Amino acid sequence: MNHKAKGSNAERELIHLFWQAGWAAVRVAGSGSSKYPSPDVLASNNLRKIALEVKATRDHAKYFTKKEIEELVLFSNTFGAECFVAIKFPKGNWRFVSVEDLKITEKSYMISEEETELKGFLFEEVIEK
Amino acid sequence: MNHKAKGSNAERELIHLFWQAGWAAVRVAGSGSSKYPSPDVLASNNLRKIALEVKATRDHAKYFTKKEIEELVLFSNTFGAECFVAIKFPKGNWRFVSVEDLKITEKSYMISEEETELKGFLFEEVIEK
């Protein structure tokens, strides 16, 4: 499966989780290529709105470009949504990490698998915050 | 330009209008083919959320399948958004029509160009409702 298809499948998996929990969720078209900032997934349950940058990875740390994170924050501020990066490591559950819990390096934002387990919310936690 | 490309361009035009007005807006991926109901465009300005089914047409009336409208309403109720059909006839501006202003026929919902002009909100009106 190519990189893009893997990304779309990870997003569909999340969409499914949200609908199962009584939220509405959509994948955003052209995320990363649109002229305007946009997240990968948008979810809402009438009371809360959540914008997500979604990554499934086989590595033990996940990196994000500064642009990805800055656009996620800019989009969320304008749309009026909370934002998280949703990360899935091979043996773990989905974890939802706040932007302030990412480490800033010279060129990117990153978080290790260990930190993700420590600081990331589980799906059940993020929808009941 | 094929039907699908024309639809995407109409959606991009609307996305642009919303961002210009200080709202955030996205095109939804796989609208119409997703397993879950989804609109074509989602916009929010922190206070209000709007879900749109988007149609540009060269005809003098616009038809929607019952499925399109039912899914727009179902999505919007779950997401917590207001919903409209956004219609553009060749010589007109974008008009935003409430679902209750569509006419129900045996197999579809429809609205004529004339009724659209009478009952549809202009973009400036819909964002300031």
Side-chain angles (χ1 to χ4, degrees):
Chain A
M1 205 186 311
N2 69 27
H3 186 69
K4 200 169 167 186
K6 207 180 86 182
S8 300
N9 280 352
E11 291 169 17
R12 285 195 191 91
E13 195 182 310
L14 275 177
I15 299 291
H16 184 65
L17 287 176
F18 277 107
W19 280 100
Q20 293 285 103
W23 290 52
V26 296
R27 290 174 56 228
V28 173
S31 171
S33 66
S34 165
K35 173 177 173 182
Y36 298 106
S38 57
D40 294 321
V41 164
L42 258 176
S44 174
N45 73 340
N46 227 319
L47 296 171
R48 291 171 57 209
K49 290 171 274 182
I50 295 179
L52 298 171
E53 184 75 18
V54 179
K55 303 281 181 185
T57 181
R58 289 187 187 147
D59 301 328
H60 292 288
K62 190 63 214 172
Y63 290 80
F64 302 85
T65 65
K66 292 210 168 163
K67 187 163 176 275
E68 280 176 323
I69 299 303
E70 285 161 7
E71 292 200 347
L72 177 65
V73 171
L74 174 59
F75 174 86
S76 301
N77 287 347
T78 311
F79 197 87
E82 304 164 55
C83 66
F84 298 94
V85 296
I87 311 177
K88 195 178 192 181
F89 290 101
K91 291 182 183 168
N93 293 309
W94 281 103
R95 292 283 182 166
F96 298 79
V97 178
S98 297
V99 167
E100 52 264 42
D101 287 330
L102 301 175
K103 212 171 260 174
I104 307 178
T105 70
E106 197 181 336
K107 287 185 182 167
S108 55
Y109 287 79
M110 67 84 69
I111 189 161
S112 66
E113 186 168 3
E114 198 183 343
E115 285 279 297
T116 300
E117 296 282 337
L118 273 173
K119 295 189 174 167
F121 298 104
L122 291 167
F123 178 73
E124 297 70 28
E125 293 171 330
V126 92
I127 61 169
E128 291 187 0
K129 267 177 59 133
Chain B
M1 206 185 312
N2 68 28
H3 186 69
K4 201 170 167 185
K6 206 179 88 182
S8 301
N9 280 353
E11 292 169 16
R12 285 195 192 91
E13 194 181 310
L14 275 178
I15 299 290
H16 183 65
L17 287 176
F18 277 106
W19 279 100
Q20 293 285 102
W23 289 53
V26 297
R27 291 173 57 228
V28 173
S31 171
S33 66
S34 164
K35 173 176 173 182
Y36 298 107
S38 56
D40 294 322
V41 164
L42 257 177
S44 174
N45 74 340
N46 226 318
L47 295 172
R48 290 171 58 210
K49 289 171 276 183
I50 295 180
L52 299 171
E53 185 74 19
V54 178
K55 303 280 183 189
T57 181
R58 289 189 187 145
D59 301 329
H60 291 288
K62 190 63 214 173
Y63 290 80
F64 302 86
T65 66
K66 292 209 169 164
K67 187 164 176 274
E68 280 176 323
I69 299 303
E70 285 161 8
E71 292 201 347
L72 177 65
V73 172
L74 174 59
F75 175 87
S76 301
N77 287 346
T78 312
F79 197 87
E82 303 164 57
C83 66
F84 299 94
V85 297
I87 310 178
K88 195 177 191 181
F89 290 102
K91 291 183 183 168
N93 294 309
W94 281 103
R95 292 282 182 167
F96 298 79
V97 178
S98 299
V99 167
E100 53 264 41
D101 287 329
L102 301 176
K103 212 171 259 173
I104 308 179
T105 71
E106 198 181 334
K107 288 185 181 166
S108 55
Y109 287 79
M110 67 84 68
I111 189 160
S112 67
E113 185 168 3
E114 197 183 343
E115 284 281 297
T116 301
E117 295 282 336
L118 273 173
K119 295 189 173 166
F121 298 104
L122 291 168
F123 179 74
E124 297 71 27
E125 294 169 331
V126 91
I127 60 170
E128 290 186 2
K129 267 175 62 137

